[in-house]
Amino acid sequence: MGMVAELERRQSAMELHIINSIQQSLDNNQPLSFQALASLRSLIINPATPDSTLSSVLDALSRSLQLNRDPVFLHHALKLLRDLASHRPHLSPFALDLLRSDSLFSSASPRLVGESLSVLLSLASIGNDIDAARFVSLCLGPSVSVRQCLLRNAEKLVFRESVLLAVFLGFTRDPYPYVRKEALDGLVKLCKNGDFDDRDVIEGCYCRAVELLRDAENYVRSAAVRAVCEWGRLLVICSEDMNKQDSSDAVFIQLGCMVRDMSVDVRLEAFEALGKIGLVSEGILLQTLSKKVLGINKDKAFKPVEGLDISASAVAGAYIHGLEDEFSEVRMSACYSLRTLTVFSLRFACEALNLMMDMLNDDSTVVRLQALDTIHHMATSNHLKVEKIHIHRFLSALVDSSSVIRSMTRKILKLAKLPQFKLFKLCIDGLLGNLEIYPQDEADVFSALFHIGRNHGKFTVHIIEEVSPEMEPASGGKLSFDSTRVAAFLVLAISAPLSHEKDVSAIPPRIFSYAVTWLGRISYGLSDLMNQEKLLAYLSECSRSSTISLADFKINEALLTVESDAPIPLCSKVDSPVSMPFWKDSGGTSDYHHQEFLSLGKSAAHAEYELGEHSELRKYVNLIFKKVKDFWSLVELGCTTEAFKGIRACKEEVASFTADSPGSSGAVAFTLQYLQVIGMLAKVWGHLRPTKMLNPYGVGKLELLFAKLDRRLREISNRFIGLSKGEELQILDLVLVACLLRLSKMEICCCNAAMKLLLSTVAHVEYLHKEGSIELSNFVTEVKKSLHDADSSSSSSTCKPLLFKKLLDSFSLQQFVLYGTPRYIHAELAVPSNDSENPLPFIPGIPASIPLAITLHNVLTESRLWVRISMNEESTQFVFLDLNLIRNEKRSINVVREFTFVAPFYRTPKAISFTVRASLGLECFRENIDRVKVFGGPKCELTYLCPEKEIFLCKSTEC
């Protein structure tokens, strides 16, 4: 205790000495030295400094600002005030008063004025922190950066709309383009948040924005497009009822003129703006799909405001140009813009459908997906008319290599109304082909067949009559249990009694009895409509009666109507012994999907057993995940050492668990991988967002940490199957955090790549959210909102470290809950009878054959595997492993494949002996992300499934 008292006494004496020496200098009208300012900063950041001392510091800073006008000194004084306001919130009002003083804003240094303004805006609450006169005075000052900063942040200051409107309109004529852009963006925000009913004001803003559509700078034209869109919509609202249509058409045409701009960003803005115009006549819409001027639009012109005429022919072929654009981003934007306009006109939707069919051949997956999304929107709006020329394109999409494309195509077919039996039969054949090529799609294909059959009852009965011999038992009285095709026709057949069509012939009751033998797999596919108990009761009733109605079965007809493809939560927990146990989330919907095991011929009974076998293990690992959430709270408090100890103890605890059965091994592997990800994330977090002490790694060390974190995230995202959408979303939360941590540290960040990954991940999150109806975390919601705001206020995606650091503040690790039994994708690689004493023979200069004994666990047939063989860093080659061409492989019920693959190594050196290292990698597909430049090798990053195997080769004695 005596030592502590002595230290406190010395600390107080040192503080008193610093304050007295500074006060003495100020009393003698002497400016403070930089050493004195450094001493003041030490007092400010020291948490033990009492408030009385800090009050003396504030007084000293106030007096020194009056004595010293040197810009360098004022810059350091500004930093001290910022530190004081951030470290001591209760003293921030006094610090803000000094920041608002004339001492800083009257400085001759524009840089200092800009810094003062930035600090004030970041620390002060929204209000009258700067009066209108000073605001206008600073805007009219010589500093362009200050002017730009003020215009960008004007909405944070409480001014009258008239003041902001005059300032923004005036600076749209500024000679500096970045100022013009900020002024236009200010007008857009003012239009969204303001209340304008004066038509003259609205026309003036609209006309000024139209003038700037011809600006020389791309980013100014992009901002002008946004301004024309917002003020144009306001112009339509304030128009008389009889002129609203013409005004809306004029604004639409004005924006349509910009789709041919030389700048990609401007074209993107133009198509986004076109989709926001809600009231457009059919003639103008049809004109956008034809480069030739239509008869109804010849000599047709509009005059939204006095002195501004525009011809209808100006928008000719606007969407044709967008869909033929060389940049995939523009093509995707054009597809999305069409999506919002097809609801206004059935004829326009039919013409647009033909263009969307052509877009299904696009090279970019995201463009094809957006085209399908547009078609799906037509179907939900009852504006989809499918003809024979269209059905073949849909059938091609059903066998696309992308699972997302196939899924979206099936959603469209669920809603499609097919006028002819020939089209219906082609559609059914296409779905059967999809099931044959991609058996892992079984559940979704069954769901699509049920919806299509219910929508076309008469066609369903007709086709069942044709294929009924396939569905009957063989001569031995047994059904063909190994035929997925039979199961598909059974799903189609049992949908007919629920058809809305009248006079539908009855399906023979015995067909429903056959369907009971496939109960587990069929109920899994129809889980969005009914649970297994209800399905069994339905099949039992239908097998006893030749006719049945919805009223007989007591099913709510509204629940069987698919207006959108959102899951319908009819399932409830079933305790019947014939029911397959589904692991449910709080909403009651099925979370666990064991698609791959059904695809490889696993029996429903075995899958049912595995799903319920490891409930105790799931409880155990979920307790581990609960501990991890608590450890993350320590990381946020800066107690990283204690958190690491806890995570390390959890690893040892999980690693000691015996994992003899396949289900348990997957859960244990996933838990260990999750712990490694959290551990790496905690390391990066602790050094990029320190709270207790500053001990950052160097740039090189941080780069290594990020590389390890990226590898761990890639592994947990790609090496496990059977995860629910909710579980995938929680993993994507961690990917988003890693992206934001990278973007918050500019020294180690490749901004373009990191932003692409961030945007791609957010898009994937939105897709999963839409698919699973799962509520997003507050963190993801904030990220989406901030990215949207950044896009709307900037013509290009730029890295903003302060924004990303702010987003990280909203992150809070959610407790991970494991509902199902994930399967771990891994491999074993060996070279039989090969070691340093028994090398493989080779001839220098001639490719060497390397026999690899490969064992794959839980690897999908559609996966792209690569054998990586390297002799050194400069001599590496990749060999593609096509699983569809593997013959004589051994498979087990636990989805294990064993086979031998002879890999060639082409770069044999002129040496007596050498060694190579081989490993097996899984290609991770991400659109435009993680692309690697390897000639003849993978296009995307690899996740390696096994450790490297050292292989010994020796020159053949026959040489």
PDB file of all heavy atoms in Angstrom, residues 100 184 252 256 275 332 334 358 405 408 492 517 617 747 811 832-833 843 845 861 878 919:
ATOM      1  N   ARG A 100     -15.592  25.028 -31.963  1.00  0.00           N
ATOM      2  CA  ARG A 100     -16.465  25.934 -32.715  1.00  0.00           C
ATOM      3  C   ARG A 100     -15.983  27.382 -32.670  1.00  0.00           C
ATOM      4  O   ARG A 100     -16.589  28.251 -33.287  1.00  0.00           O
ATOM      5  CB  ARG A 100     -17.885  25.858 -32.147  1.00  0.00           C
ATOM      6  CG  ARG A 100     -18.643  24.602 -32.524  1.00  0.00           C
ATOM      7  CD  ARG A 100     -20.100  24.705 -32.146  1.00  0.00           C
ATOM      8  NE  ARG A 100     -20.296  24.563 -30.720  1.00  0.00           N
ATOM      9  CZ  ARG A 100     -20.642  23.426 -30.120  1.00  0.00           C
ATOM     10  NH1 ARG A 100     -20.808  22.341 -30.847  1.00  0.00           N
ATOM     11  NH2 ARG A 100     -20.820  23.365 -28.817  1.00  0.00           N
ATOM     12  N   LEU A 184     -25.006  18.031 -56.276  1.00  0.00           N
ATOM     13  CA  LEU A 184     -26.094  17.222 -56.840  1.00  0.00           C
ATOM     14  C   LEU A 184     -26.561  16.161 -55.847  1.00  0.00           C
ATOM     15  O   LEU A 184     -27.762  15.931 -55.682  1.00  0.00           O
ATOM     16  CB  LEU A 184     -25.624  16.558 -58.139  1.00  0.00           C
ATOM     17  CG  LEU A 184     -25.556  17.475 -59.366  1.00  0.00           C
ATOM     18  CD1 LEU A 184     -24.806  16.792 -60.502  1.00  0.00           C
ATOM     19  CD2 LEU A 184     -26.962  17.858 -59.824  1.00  0.00           C
ATOM     20  N   PHE A 252     -38.871   9.376 -67.863  1.00  0.00           N
ATOM     21  CA  PHE A 252     -38.355   8.054 -68.248  1.00  0.00           C
ATOM     22  C   PHE A 252     -37.484   8.156 -69.499  1.00  0.00           C
ATOM     23  O   PHE A 252     -36.397   7.563 -69.568  1.00  0.00           O
ATOM     24  CB  PHE A 252     -39.541   7.114 -68.480  1.00  0.00           C
ATOM     25  CG  PHE A 252     -39.152   5.696 -68.772  1.00  0.00           C
ATOM     26  CD1 PHE A 252     -38.896   4.801 -67.743  1.00  0.00           C
ATOM     27  CD2 PHE A 252     -39.041   5.252 -70.076  1.00  0.00           C
ATOM     28  CE1 PHE A 252     -38.536   3.490 -68.009  1.00  0.00           C
ATOM     29  CE2 PHE A 252     -38.682   3.947 -70.366  1.00  0.00           C
ATOM     30  CZ  PHE A 252     -38.430   3.060 -69.318  1.00  0.00           C
ATOM     31  N   GLY A 256     -33.599   7.397 -70.058  1.00  0.00           N
ATOM     32  CA  GLY A 256     -33.254   6.390 -71.064  1.00  0.00           C
ATOM     33  C   GLY A 256     -32.183   6.854 -72.026  1.00  0.00           C
ATOM     34  O   GLY A 256     -31.450   6.036 -72.602  1.00  0.00           O
ATOM     35  N   GLY A 275     -35.742   1.785 -63.509  1.00  0.00           N
ATOM     36  CA  GLY A 275     -36.593   0.870 -62.751  1.00  0.00           C
ATOM     37  C   GLY A 275     -37.376   1.534 -61.646  1.00  0.00           C
ATOM     38  O   GLY A 275     -38.309   0.938 -61.099  1.00  0.00           O
ATOM     39  N   MET A 332     -26.617  -7.055 -65.997  1.00  0.00           N
ATOM     40  CA  MET A 332     -27.381  -7.453 -64.818  1.00  0.00           C
ATOM     41  C   MET A 332     -28.302  -6.324 -64.362  1.00  0.00           C
ATOM     42  O   MET A 332     -29.460  -6.562 -63.988  1.00  0.00           O
ATOM     43  CB  MET A 332     -26.423  -7.847 -63.695  1.00  0.00           C
ATOM     44  CG  MET A 332     -27.116  -8.363 -62.441  1.00  0.00           C
ATOM     45  SD  MET A 332     -25.980  -8.997 -61.212  1.00  0.00           S
ATOM     46  CE  MET A 332     -25.149  -7.472 -60.750  1.00  0.00           C
ATOM     47  N   ALA A 334     -29.601  -3.999 -66.228  1.00  0.00           N
ATOM     48  CA  ALA A 334     -30.695  -3.891 -67.192  1.00  0.00           C
ATOM     49  C   ALA A 334     -31.766  -4.953 -66.923  1.00  0.00           C
ATOM     50  O   ALA A 334     -32.968  -4.682 -66.992  1.00  0.00           O
ATOM     51  CB  ALA A 334     -30.157  -4.024 -68.614  1.00  0.00           C
ATOM     52  N   ASP A 358     -32.847 -15.031 -74.117  1.00  0.00           N
ATOM     53  CA  ASP A 358     -31.509 -14.903 -74.708  1.00  0.00           C
ATOM     54  C   ASP A 358     -30.449 -14.719 -73.629  1.00  0.00           C
ATOM     55  O   ASP A 358     -29.316 -15.199 -73.773  1.00  0.00           O
ATOM     56  CB  ASP A 358     -31.473 -13.719 -75.677  1.00  0.00           C
ATOM     57  CG  ASP A 358     -32.354 -13.944 -76.901  1.00  0.00           C
ATOM     58  OD1 ASP A 358     -32.599 -15.122 -77.231  1.00  0.00           O
ATOM     59  OD2 ASP A 358     -32.803 -12.954 -77.502  1.00  0.00           O
ATOM     60  N   ILE A 405     -28.707 -21.540 -60.280  1.00  0.00           N
ATOM     61  CA  ILE A 405     -29.454 -21.396 -61.538  1.00  0.00           C
ATOM     62  C   ILE A 405     -30.537 -22.466 -61.620  1.00  0.00           C
ATOM     63  O   ILE A 405     -31.693 -22.179 -61.968  1.00  0.00           O
ATOM     64  CB  ILE A 405     -28.499 -21.488 -62.741  1.00  0.00           C
ATOM     65  CG1 ILE A 405     -27.487 -20.336 -62.741  1.00  0.00           C
ATOM     66  CG2 ILE A 405     -29.290 -21.504 -64.052  1.00  0.00           C
ATOM     67  CD1 ILE A 405     -28.070 -18.988 -62.964  1.00  0.00           C
ATOM     68  N   MET A 408     -33.448 -21.645 -59.181  1.00  0.00           N
ATOM     69  CA  MET A 408     -34.310 -20.550 -59.617  1.00  0.00           C
ATOM     70  C   MET A 408     -35.193 -20.981 -60.798  1.00  0.00           C
ATOM     71  O   MET A 408     -36.359 -20.582 -60.888  1.00  0.00           O
ATOM     72  CB  MET A 408     -33.458 -19.345 -60.016  1.00  0.00           C
ATOM     73  CG  MET A 408     -34.263 -18.117 -60.414  1.00  0.00           C
ATOM     74  SD  MET A 408     -35.365 -17.515 -59.114  1.00  0.00           S
ATOM     75  CE  MET A 408     -34.166 -16.748 -58.026  1.00  0.00           C
ATOM     76  N   LEU A 492     -45.688 -36.721 -58.654  1.00  0.00           N
ATOM     77  CA  LEU A 492     -46.565 -36.051 -59.621  1.00  0.00           C
ATOM     78  C   LEU A 492     -47.997 -36.563 -59.471  1.00  0.00           C
ATOM     79  O   LEU A 492     -48.967 -35.788 -59.490  1.00  0.00           O
ATOM     80  CB  LEU A 492     -46.034 -36.306 -61.029  1.00  0.00           C
ATOM     81  CG  LEU A 492     -46.670 -35.507 -62.175  1.00  0.00           C
ATOM     82  CD1 LEU A 492     -46.391 -34.021 -61.998  1.00  0.00           C
ATOM     83  CD2 LEU A 492     -46.112 -35.991 -63.513  1.00  0.00           C
ATOM     84  N   THR A 517     -44.452 -46.207 -49.667  1.00  0.00           N
ATOM     85  CA  THR A 517     -43.147 -46.868 -49.541  1.00  0.00           C
ATOM     86  C   THR A 517     -41.988 -45.888 -49.709  1.00  0.00           C
ATOM     87  O   THR A 517     -40.858 -46.208 -49.349  1.00  0.00           O
ATOM     88  CB  THR A 517     -43.025 -47.982 -50.608  1.00  0.00           C
ATOM     89  OG1 THR A 517     -43.124 -47.408 -51.908  1.00  0.00           O
ATOM     90  CG2 THR A 517     -44.109 -49.023 -50.416  1.00  0.00           C
ATOM     91  N   LEU A 617     -24.521 -35.601 -28.852  1.00  0.00           N
ATOM     92  CA  LEU A 617     -23.334 -34.906 -29.362  1.00  0.00           C
ATOM     93  C   LEU A 617     -23.665 -33.465 -29.718  1.00  0.00           C
ATOM     94  O   LEU A 617     -22.890 -32.547 -29.441  1.00  0.00           O
ATOM     95  CB  LEU A 617     -22.785 -35.641 -30.588  1.00  0.00           C
ATOM     96  CG  LEU A 617     -21.629 -34.961 -31.317  1.00  0.00           C
ATOM     97  CD1 LEU A 617     -20.408 -34.854 -30.414  1.00  0.00           C
ATOM     98  CD2 LEU A 617     -21.289 -35.713 -32.588  1.00  0.00           C
ATOM     99  N   GLU A 747      -3.264  -0.327 -45.130  1.00  0.00           N
ATOM    100  CA  GLU A 747      -1.893  -0.721 -45.449  1.00  0.00           C
ATOM    101  C   GLU A 747      -1.814  -2.158 -45.955  1.00  0.00           C
ATOM    102  O   GLU A 747      -0.894  -2.520 -46.688  1.00  0.00           O
ATOM    103  CB  GLU A 747      -0.991  -0.576 -44.220  1.00  0.00           C
ATOM    104  CG  GLU A 747      -0.808   0.854 -43.742  1.00  0.00           C
ATOM    105  CD  GLU A 747      -1.906   1.294 -42.794  1.00  0.00           C
ATOM    106  OE1 GLU A 747      -2.955   0.609 -42.765  1.00  0.00           O
ATOM    107  OE2 GLU A 747      -1.729   2.299 -42.102  1.00  0.00           O
ATOM    108  N   PHE A 811     -20.881  -5.236 -34.645  1.00  0.00           N
ATOM    109  CA  PHE A 811     -20.783  -6.702 -34.669  1.00  0.00           C
ATOM    110  C   PHE A 811     -20.778  -7.271 -33.259  1.00  0.00           C
ATOM    111  O   PHE A 811     -20.074  -6.797 -32.375  1.00  0.00           O
ATOM    112  CB  PHE A 811     -19.519  -7.141 -35.392  1.00  0.00           C
ATOM    113  CG  PHE A 811     -19.273  -8.638 -35.299  1.00  0.00           C
ATOM    114  CD1 PHE A 811     -20.054  -9.514 -36.008  1.00  0.00           C
ATOM    115  CD2 PHE A 811     -18.270  -9.152 -34.477  1.00  0.00           C
ATOM    116  CE1 PHE A 811     -19.846 -10.878 -35.926  1.00  0.00           C
ATOM    117  CE2 PHE A 811     -18.047 -10.503 -34.387  1.00  0.00           C
ATOM    118  CZ  PHE A 811     -18.844 -11.379 -35.106  1.00  0.00           C
ATOM    119  N   PRO A 832       1.128 -46.164 -53.200  1.00  0.00           N
ATOM    120  CA  PRO A 832       1.478 -47.486 -52.664  1.00  0.00           C
ATOM    121  C   PRO A 832       2.950 -47.833 -52.900  1.00  0.00           C
ATOM    122  O   PRO A 832       3.501 -47.598 -53.982  1.00  0.00           O
ATOM    123  CB  PRO A 832       0.555 -48.433 -53.444  1.00  0.00           C
ATOM    124  CG  PRO A 832      -0.566 -47.565 -53.928  1.00  0.00           C
ATOM    125  CD  PRO A 832       0.034 -46.222 -54.177  1.00  0.00           C
ATOM    126  N   SER A 833       3.567 -48.351 -51.856  1.00  0.00           N
ATOM    127  CA  SER A 833       4.946 -48.875 -51.918  1.00  0.00           C
ATOM    128  C   SER A 833       5.927 -47.834 -52.433  1.00  0.00           C
ATOM    129  O   SER A 833       6.789 -48.133 -53.280  1.00  0.00           O
ATOM    130  CB  SER A 833       4.984 -50.131 -52.803  1.00  0.00           C
ATOM    131  OG  SER A 833       4.079 -51.101 -52.349  1.00  0.00           O
ATOM    132  N   ILE A 843      11.854 -41.171 -66.684  1.00  0.00           N
ATOM    133  CA  ILE A 843      12.840 -40.878 -67.733  1.00  0.00           C
ATOM    134  C   ILE A 843      12.910 -39.370 -67.880  1.00  0.00           C
ATOM    135  O   ILE A 843      11.877 -38.715 -68.091  1.00  0.00           O
ATOM    136  CB  ILE A 843      12.437 -41.531 -69.070  1.00  0.00           C
ATOM    137  CG1 ILE A 843      12.352 -43.051 -68.914  1.00  0.00           C
ATOM    138  CG2 ILE A 843      13.418 -41.160 -70.175  1.00  0.00           C
ATOM    139  CD1 ILE A 843      11.848 -43.756 -70.157  1.00  0.00           C
ATOM    140  N   GLY A 845      12.833 -35.683 -68.964  1.00  0.00           N
ATOM    141  CA  GLY A 845      12.245 -35.028 -70.126  1.00  0.00           C
ATOM    142  C   GLY A 845      10.951 -35.638 -70.596  1.00  0.00           C
ATOM    143  O   GLY A 845      10.293 -35.090 -71.485  1.00  0.00           O
ATOM    144  N   THR A 861     -20.328 -35.443 -56.569  1.00  0.00           N
ATOM    145  CA  THR A 861     -19.863 -35.805 -57.906  1.00  0.00           C
ATOM    146  C   THR A 861     -19.592 -34.584 -58.764  1.00  0.00           C
ATOM    147  O   THR A 861     -18.689 -34.572 -59.602  1.00  0.00           O
ATOM    148  CB  THR A 861     -20.914 -36.702 -58.594  1.00  0.00           C
ATOM    149  OG1 THR A 861     -21.191 -37.825 -57.760  1.00  0.00           O
ATOM    150  CG2 THR A 861     -20.420 -37.197 -59.944  1.00  0.00           C
ATOM    151  N   PHE A 878      -1.121 -28.621 -62.137  1.00  0.00           N
ATOM    152  CA  PHE A 878      -2.407 -29.075 -61.647  1.00  0.00           C
ATOM    153  C   PHE A 878      -2.994 -30.063 -62.642  1.00  0.00           C
ATOM    154  O   PHE A 878      -2.913 -29.869 -63.862  1.00  0.00           O
ATOM    155  CB  PHE A 878      -3.375 -27.895 -61.483  1.00  0.00           C
ATOM    156  CG  PHE A 878      -2.980 -26.937 -60.389  1.00  0.00           C
ATOM    157  CD1 PHE A 878      -2.127 -25.874 -60.651  1.00  0.00           C
ATOM    158  CD2 PHE A 878      -3.455 -27.111 -59.105  1.00  0.00           C
ATOM    159  CE1 PHE A 878      -1.765 -24.995 -59.648  1.00  0.00           C
ATOM    160  CE2 PHE A 878      -3.103 -26.235 -58.091  1.00  0.00           C
ATOM    161  CZ  PHE A 878      -2.246 -25.184 -58.369  1.00  0.00           C
ATOM    162  N   SER A 919      -0.971 -33.005 -53.411  1.00  0.00           N
ATOM    163  CA  SER A 919      -2.123 -32.806 -52.528  1.00  0.00           C
ATOM    164  C   SER A 919      -3.367 -32.695 -53.388  1.00  0.00           C
ATOM    165  O   SER A 919      -3.294 -32.493 -54.612  1.00  0.00           O
ATOM    166  CB  SER A 919      -1.951 -31.556 -51.661  1.00  0.00           C
ATOM    167  OG  SER A 919      -1.753 -30.415 -52.476  1.00  0.00           O
TER     168      SER A 919
END
